[in-house]
Amino acid sequence: MIILRLVTDYLAAAAEKWPGKIAVVDEVRQMTYGELWREAERIGAFLASRMEKKAPVALWFGLEGRSIAASQGIVLAGLPYAPLDISMPKKRLAKIFGTLEASAIITNRVCSEDVKKFAATLPQVPEVYTYEDMTEVKPSGAELAILDRVESVRTEDDALSIIFTSGSTGSPKGVISSHRMLTACTQWQVKALHMDETTVRAAQSPLYFAMGAYLDVYATIAAGGELHLLPKSLFLFKRKLISELARRKINLIFWVPSVMRSIVESKALALEELPPLRTIAFCGEPMPPQILAEWFKAFPRATFSNHYGSTEVTIAAWQELDRDTVLSMGKPCGEKELVIVTEDGSQAAPGEVGEILVRGPVAVGYLGDRERTEEAFGVEERTGKRFFHTGDLARIDENGDMVYVSRSDAQVKHMGYRIELGEIESAALTIEGLSAGVCLFDKEKDELVLFYVADDALRGKDILRQLSDSLPRYMWPARLKKLEAMPQTEGGKIDRRALKEMF
Amino acid sequence: MKLLEILQEIHPQFDYETSQDFFADGLIDSFDLTRLIAALEEEFDLSIDGTELNAENFKNLDALQGLLLRHGVK
């Protein structure tokens, strides 16, 4: 493995060592390392000579290998990239652009007319460039010289990218990552998951999903492996999914437990031909032990591991598993350190519940939101190390293992997605005729439930229609419950506990 | 019709009657599919086999009715 400073160094090194080797496979195209690098460099040269501001550049792509080349081109030009979930409602995308203040959007020729129309509605209209226009022409000597100059002043503390996650006040939060955070985690993961040029990894989620998706890209490139971007439709029918993994000879997955659970539930692991999986890793939510047991049975020779992390820290802890391991949060990975702190900031005693603090190479902060950045991030005076307040509560058990307890706030995990219930509530409260709305998560059924008070004229159907105009699909409530009035606590607050009794 | 009610329970704002392809039209995604199967199994007291889980059996009302018919639901 190559140990380097900036994420683009991985691609440069891989392109030199394996120019003709397949790097990324999507539905329409496969790209070699040589092509990936050449196209990234062209995009870099194009941007470096045109973008004056250090503003982010947005990526408007479906699941395409080209979006990876584009992201690396943006990075070469010394700019942060922001991958977008283009299936999300335009209203929410507009909110994201309000925070992002992107100077440009890169898309493909097929989408470009739509993107231009959307861009024109924004208060600050970004440039719209197509991938084809940027890569079909060789950059001029002058353009390459500018790229060279821009490239040479980049540092590992530069903002690498911005990923948007659900925000409690109704606007998505943009997490700014740095090269340092990603390279530290990439280096660690390539080693921990024994990745090399024979690795064939299948990405379950697109770039915008969470920082974990970045590792699909960077760890694969650092190892010189092959990354398959699986189309979303493949995840509808799990037996087809498993057969497809077998056909593609996938040997490594790093997926969310929800997907692994639905594969077990659809009995896809009973298929005769299973993929040659050597490494099975998961992250993002707790894994049900009985589901894991089925995977062990189907893949007795694979290495299993459980990971803990978030977009703000990438991977912070992990646990190598064998059949008898009791699932816990495991031990810190790479340069990360985990501490449990109580409300006064002191370290929790064994058994005592407190918040997990992650120290080490963590994200830079939230874009354009100093208040929340200062609340959640900080620098330890004594060591100069950065830290992040995860909002996850945990304790140390009698064996000395860290055990997850719950969230300290209203953030939930639903099908692997991170959701702030507050964002759903603020969207609900913009609906005319709806006077009160509280969203809760029914863990048992894995469903979002919206309790509301509204005029008789407002039908449930209308509420859902309006919510689907402003929220991404995974945030739509599965059930609505109309109430005459919200139950209140003695202190006059909404009684969430009483609402939970009504599930 | 009970089947339509079940579908509308999932997303009341969508029109499941006219769509010929729920997946292409975005009326059902992988989360919804899990809910739909659970609801069908509960409502009609049947068990849908893994081999029946393919787009052809679930893509529209006719396809779903065909699937139910094969399970003896009229």
Side-chain angles (χ1 to χ4, degrees):
Chain A
M1 187 194 40
I2 316 142
I3 295 184
L4 299 157
R5 225 163 43 89
L6 301 176
V7 294
T8 40
D9 296 343
Y10 294 128
L11 181 56
E16 204 175 294
K17 199 163 171 196
W18 302 286
K21 191 170 182 295
I22 302 294
V24 192
V25 180
D26 65 24
E27 272 321 85
V28 291
R29 186 178 167 189
Q30 48 185 39
M31 292 174 86
T32 63
Y33 277 105
E35 285 169 323
L36 207 57
W37 173 256
R38 193 186 65 222
E39 295 185 15
E41 196 178 43
R42 286 185 177 184
I43 286 170
F46 184 98
L47 290 173
S49 54
R50 283 172 183 82
M51 298 287 108
E52 281 164 16
K53 279 196 308 179
K54 273 255 171 193
V57 175
L59 290 169
W60 188 294
F61 285 93
L63 266 176
E64 281 186 64
R66 295 190 294 185
S67 65
I68 295 173
S71 73
Q72 299 312 287
I74 298 168
V75 177
L76 284 174
L79 304 168
Y81 65 98
L84 301 172
D85 174 2
I86 57 172
S87 67
M88 103 176 25
K90 294 282 186 304
K91 244 191 195 167
R92 193 166 186 259
L93 275 173
K95 275 188 188 166
I96 285 177
F97 272 92
T99 309
L100 193 59
E101 297 182 341
S103 53
I105 303 175
I106 303 181
T107 184
N108 56 35
R109 226 166 247 166
V110 177
C111 295
S112 70
E113 283 314 307
D114 281 347
V115 177
K116 277 181 193 153
K117 261 185 231 151
F118 169 77
T121 66
L122 299 171
Q124 250 184 310
V125 183
E127 298 285 344
V128 176
Y129 298 124
T130 73
Y131 188 92
E132 292 88 340
D133 287 343
M134 300 171 94
T135 54
E136 276 166 8
V137 190
K138 246 184 160 171
S140 67
E143 280 177 327
L144 282 174
I146 297 174
L147 178 64
D148 247 7
R149 204 163 62 227
V150 171
E151 262 195 83
S152 63
V153 297
R154 296 181 305 149
T155 79
E156 56 194 341
D157 290 317
D158 282 355
L160 170 69
S161 78
I162 294 128
I163 285 192
F164 283 86
T165 84
S166 180
S168 55
T169 56
S171 273
K173 277 193 294 202
V175 180
I176 312 170
S177 65
S178 64
H179 284 264
R180 191 191 291 274
M181 171 164 94
L182 256 303
T183 50
C185 202
T186 299
Q187 244 111 251
W188 170 79
Q189 190 176 82
V190 169
K191 235 185 181 165
L193 299 186
H194 311 291
M195 294 177 69
D196 59 28
E197 68 273 17
T198 65
T199 296
V200 186
R201 179 164 175 157
Q204 168 232 319
S205 46
L207 282 182
Y208 59 77
F209 181 73
M211 211 53 87
Y214 278 30
L215 290 171
D216 282 332
V217 173
Y218 291 123
T220 305
I221 294 177
E226 189 175 303
L227 181 65
H228 288 244
L229 304 176
L230 303 178
K232 230 181 182 172
S233 58
L234 207 51
F235 286 85
L236 275 166
F237 297 100
K238 305 301 185 302
R239 293 166 72 98
K240 213 173 133 202
L241 171 66
I242 291 295
S243 313
E244 190 59 22
L245 294 184
R247 192 183 69 78
R248 293 169 184 247
K249 301 195 169 56
I250 302 296
N251 56 33
L252 187 153
I253 57 170
F254 187 58
W255 287 5
V256 296
S258 291
V259 171
M260 294 173 65
R261 192 190 63 214
S262 59
I263 289 171
V264 170
E265 284 167 355
S266 56
K267 304 196 174 69
L269 294 182
L271 284 172
E272 221 159 275
E273 202 189 342
L274 292 176
L277 287 173
R278 303 193 295 228
T279 309
I280 297 170
F282 48 90
C283 183
E285 52 193 4
M287 169 64 96
Q290 66 279 17
I291 297 298
L292 182 59
E294 294 297 321
W295 279 82
F296 266 117
K297 241 188 264 166
F299 298 97
R301 293 216 301 255
T303 339
F304 285 76
S305 53
N306 172 27
H307 300 246
Y308 164 75
S310 73
T311 298
E312 288 90 341
V313 302
T314 60
I315 307 302
W318 80 310
Q319 194 185 19
E320 283 181 282
L321 303 168
D322 56 48
R323 278 164 197 257
D324 315 317
T325 317
V326 178
L327 287 160
S328 73
M329 304 194 52
K331 52 180 194 289
C333 58
E335 299 169 37
K336 301 277 190 351
E337 295 165 6
L338 269 69
V339 228
I340 300 178
V341 293
T342 55
E343 260 171 50
D344 62 10
S346 61
Q347 195 156 339
E352 191 182 6
V353 174
E355 187 188 15
I356 303 172
L357 204 78
V358 176
R359 276 198 297 243
V362 297
V364 178
Y366 300 116
L367 185 67
D369 194 338
R370 180 185 263 188
E371 198 180 316
R372 276 195 286 188
T373 300
E374 281 173 0
E375 252 170 49
F377 294 90
V379 179
E380 200 182 47
E381 245 175 69
R382 194 173 50 84
T383 57
K385 280 187 183 159
R386 293 181 50 71
F387 62 81
F388 172 67
H389 285 276
T390 59
D392 288 323
L393 301 179
R395 63 182 169 79
I396 304 284
D397 73 3
E398 50 283 359
N399 302 321
D401 291 325
M402 199 176 275
V403 184
Y404 179 81
V405 176
S406 66
R407 284 292 301 175
S408 64
D409 55 16
Q411 187 186 104
V412 300
K413 274 286 174 81
H414 175 43
M415 306 302 278
Y417 285 91
R418 159 175 163 180
I419 297 169
E420 292 283 354
L421 296 174
E423 187 174 350
I424 301 171
E425 289 166 7
S426 13
L429 289 171
T430 62
I431 297 172
E432 214 181 289
L434 189 144
S435 55
V438 173
C439 190
L440 293 174
F441 185 58
D442 183 345
K443 253 195 188 155
E444 218 167 283
K445 292 200 177 128
D446 194 17
E447 285 179 352
L448 294 160
V449 187
L450 179 72
F451 295 91
Y452 69 100
V453 179
D455 300 347
D456 286 336
L458 187 68
R459 292 174 307 170
K461 216 197 240 188
D462 302 319
I463 295 177
L464 287 168
R465 185 173 303 122
Q466 293 193 52
L467 287 179
S468 53
D469 285 341
S470 55
L471 296 173
R473 191 170 194 127
Y474 56 84
M475 290 172 84
W476 298 354
R479 276 180 286 150
L480 298 180
K481 294 231 167 169
K482 189 172 179 175
L483 304 173
E484 287 302 314
M486 283 290 164
Q488 293 191 333
T489 62
E490 277 177 29
K493 284 190 185 162
I494 290 174
D495 190 344
R496 289 174 183 259
R497 204 168 290 169
L499 287 173
K500 279 191 179 164
E501 302 285 311
M502 294 184 223
F503 273 158
Chain B
M1 182 180 42
K2 197 71 211 170
L3 178 58
L4 192 59
E5 273 173 41
I6 289 173
L7 286 163
Q8 275 162 348
E9 175 102 348
I10 297 177
H11 292 302
Q13 74 271 38
F14 288 159
D15 178 8
Y16 290 96
E17 270 175 291
T18 50
S19 169
Q20 286 309 302
D21 190 337
F22 296 161
F23 305 113
D25 296 341
L27 303 193
I28 286 186
D29 70 0
S30 60
F31 308 168
D32 303 334
L33 192 67
T34 317
R35 286 176 65 200
L36 173 63
I37 292 166
L40 292 176
E41 292 187 332
E42 193 183 308
E43 179 65 37
F44 300 111
D45 192 26
L46 46 86
S47 163
I48 293 171
D49 187 71
T51 55
E52 295 172 291
L53 293 177
N54 55 58
E56 288 312 307
N57 281 331
F58 288 86
K59 70 177 189 184
N60 55 37
L61 267 185
D62 287 343
L64 278 165
Q65 261 156 354
L67 176 71
L68 290 178
L69 210 58
R70 287 195 292 284
H71 280 274
V73 180
K74 294 218 172 99

